[in-house]
Amino acid sequence: MTNSLRTLVGCAVVAAAGLCLVSGPAPAGTPDLPKDSYKKAADADLKFLQTRLNELAKAEEPSARSAKPAVGATLIIAAYADVLGDATLKADVIKVGEALHAKKYKDAAELAKKLAVKPGTGKAGGDLPTLPAFEAAKDKDVTYMPTTMKLFTNTQVLKMPSGLNIEKDLKDWTAKGSTVKLDPAAVEILAVRSAVINEYILHYPNEKARTKPESEKEWKAISKQSVDLSKEIIAEATKKTPDFKMLRSKLALLEAACTNCHGKYRFDD
C-alpha cells in the first residue's frame, strides 16, 4: 500500500468512525472479544512480561525504554484478567506494574514469577484497569496512553528490548506485494492487543489531540474504529477457514488508521 493510499484509507477510516461517535464516546471499558481470544493473549503477554522482567532484573543498568512496555503489559494483562474473571491475576499484575513504575525491577520479577492465568467467570465492559501511581500523577499525558502505546514498538529499538512488534507486523503483513504468510493465531493475538490498547488510547487523548475539539473528536474516532477493526480481524482469524484476502484487507485498514493517527498526533518520548 502506497503512502498516499494509506492516507486516503486512513481518512476514510476517520470519516466512517466519526459517524459512530455522533452520540459521544462510549464509557471506558474492556472490549467485547471472545473469552478464548483473551485467554490466548493473556498467556502470550504474561510470558512476554516475565521474560522482560528477568532481563531487567539481571541488567547492570536497566533501561527505562525497555521497562515502559513491561508496565504497559501489566495494564493490558489486568484488562484480560478482568474479562476472564481472574481477580487474583488482575490484582497481582497491577502490583507488578507498581513495582516496575518505581524501578524496583528485582521485586517486580519476583512478584511476576507467581503470576498465572486462571480464568473464572468474568465479562467485558468493566472499567479499564488503572495503576495507583498513574492515578496520582498530575500529568496524565505521561501515563496510560504512551505506556500502552509502547507495546506497538518493535521487539528491538536502538539495540534494546522494547515492545511487542505490533507496528512492524502490521506493516510486514500489509505492505504492497507482501509475501509474508498470515498466521491466523498470531493475527488473533495481535488484534486482541490492539483492541485493548486502543481502548486506552481512546480515553486518554494526548495534549496535541486536545488542542482543538475537532482534533480530539478525530482522535477518538480513529481509536474507536481501530477497536472495531480489531474485533472484525479476530472474528475472521478465528474462523475454521479464514478468508486471507479479507483478513489482509482489514489489517491494512488497521495499519492505515495507526499511520494516520501517528502522522497527526504522535509525540516521541
Side-chain angles (χ1 to χ4, degrees):
M1 182 180 286
T2 64
N3 287 334
S4 59
L5 182 55
R6 288 183 201 278
T7 302
L8 288 171
V9 173
C11 292
V13 167
V14 173
L19 295 175
C20 298
L21 292 178
V22 169
S23 60
T30 48
D32 188 9
L33 312 174
K35 293 283 185 70
D36 189 51
S37 297
Y38 268 116
K39 173 64 165 59
K40 293 173 186 175
D43 288 335
D45 291 350
L46 180 54
K47 183 177 180 180
F48 165 82
L49 177 63
Q50 291 170 330
T51 300
R52 177 59 50 81
L53 288 174
N54 285 335
E55 294 168 350
L56 290 167
K58 293 175 182 178
E60 291 184 9
E61 296 182 11
S63 164
R65 185 174 287 274
S66 295
K68 197 168 187 176
V71 179
T74 66
L75 286 167
I76 64 171
I77 291 170
Y80 304 160
D82 188 54
V83 177
L84 292 170
D86 191 340
T88 299
L89 176 59
K90 180 182 177 182
D92 289 348
V93 78
I94 289 297
K95 293 176 184 176
V96 173
E98 284 286 285
L100 263 170
H101 183 72
K103 299 183 179 179
K104 298 178 180 179
Y105 301 125
K106 291 183 179 179
D107 290 349
E110 284 301 311
L111 287 171
K113 288 179 182 178
K114 302 173 184 177
L115 299 179
V117 183
K118 298 179 181 178
T121 302
K123 62 180 181 179
D127 292 341
L128 291 172
T130 58
L131 283 181
F134 283 2
E135 291 300 291
K138 293 182 179 179
D139 184 4
K140 290 295 188 291
D141 281 341
V142 299
T143 59
Y144 298 103
M145 193 283 294
T147 301
T148 53
M149 270 296 295
K150 274 297 177 186
L151 293 168
F152 270 83
T153 60
N154 295 350
T155 306
Q156 292 280 328
V157 175
L158 300 176
K159 298 182 179 181
M160 291 184 291
S162 190
L164 288 167
N165 223 52
I166 298 172
E167 184 177 15
K168 186 175 186 301
D169 283 341
L170 280 173
K171 290 184 180 298
D172 288 347
W173 292 344
T174 62
K176 184 178 180 180
S178 174
T179 57
V180 177
K181 185 177 180 180
L182 292 180
D183 175 1
V187 170
E188 178 186 6
I189 290 174
L190 178 146
V192 175
R193 293 165 172 166
S194 169
V196 175
I197 293 169
N198 274 293
E199 278 289 350
Y200 275 103
I201 294 169
L202 170 61
H203 297 285
Y204 293 97
N206 66 14
E207 183 180 4
K208 196 171 184 180
R210 297 195 309 272
T211 54
K212 298 177 182 179
E214 57 268 30
S215 295
E216 186 168 353
K217 182 179 179 181
E218 181 181 52
W219 169 287
K220 292 180 177 180
I222 297 172
S223 303
K224 172 65 166 57
Q225 187 70 359
S226 295
V227 173
D228 291 343
L229 281 167
S230 298
K231 292 178 180 179
E232 293 172 14
I233 289 166
I234 292 168
E236 190 62 47
T238 53
K239 288 181 179 178
K240 186 175 181 180
T241 307
D243 181 334
F244 286 97
K245 184 177 180 180
M246 176 67 72
L247 201 54
R248 206 178 292 272
S249 175
K250 290 184 182 298
L251 286 165
L253 287 171
L254 180 59
E255 195 281 326
C258 294
T259 297
N260 188 39
C261 188
H262 287 186
K264 294 181 177 181
Y265 302 111
R266 184 169 183 166
F267 269 126
D268 290 320
D269 60 328

